[in-house]
Amino acid sequence: LIAISLTIHDIPEGIATAAPYYFTSKKRLKSFLLSVSTGIPTIAGFMISYFLFPSIPHPIIGLLIAATAGLMVYISVDELIPTSCFNSNDHWVIFSFMLGVLMVMALGLL
């Protein structure tokens, strides 16, 4: 469920990364490569955790996952959602947020 949710999340993230660069430079290949390069930290984190995972105690892993989730919730609720609502005159921001929450809930039922 988490992997599918993160994969779905990566599509608009890639668009949000590539679109502004393409809009200013009109260079498709460079904007594509920039968008692809944002996945490098994810791959590096996977490689590091793949080799360190067996030596890390499970309570520490739980603590790290909980802290990461808390950071993401704080950033989303305190920064991203209010900023996107303030800069937009229509209600699509709230509807897209609710749709995203409903999609993850629906994936949880599968």
Side-chain angles (χ1 to χ4, degrees):
L1 174 64
I2 294 171
I4 293 170
S5 300
L6 288 174
T7 303
I8 293 170
H9 164 266
D10 285 342
I11 294 169
E13 180 184 353
I15 294 169
T17 303
Y21 187 78
Y22 178 73
F23 181 74
T24 57
S25 69
K26 302 294 185 211
K27 297 178 181 178
R28 274 188 180 179
L29 181 61
K30 283 189 178 183
S31 61
F32 172 75
L33 292 175
L34 177 69
S35 181
V36 169
S37 71
T38 61
I40 293 172
T42 304
I43 295 168
F46 168 77
M47 296 304 286
I48 292 168
S49 64
Y50 181 78
F51 293 111
L52 290 180
F53 185 74
S55 63
I56 299 174
H58 288 286
I60 300 296
I61 291 172
L63 180 71
L64 292 172
I65 290 173
T68 303
L71 287 168
M72 290 305 297
V73 168
Y74 175 78
I75 290 169
S76 297
V77 171
D78 190 57
E79 298 289 335
L80 297 176
I81 296 170
T83 302
S84 62
C85 291
F86 179 74
N87 292 330
S88 177
N89 291 330
D90 54 20
H91 298 290
W92 289 109
V93 173
I94 299 298
F95 291 134
S96 63
F97 173 73
M98 292 186 327
L99 180 64
V101 170
L102 290 173
M103 284 177 58
V104 173
M105 290 173 66
L107 285 172
L109 296 175
L110 297 178

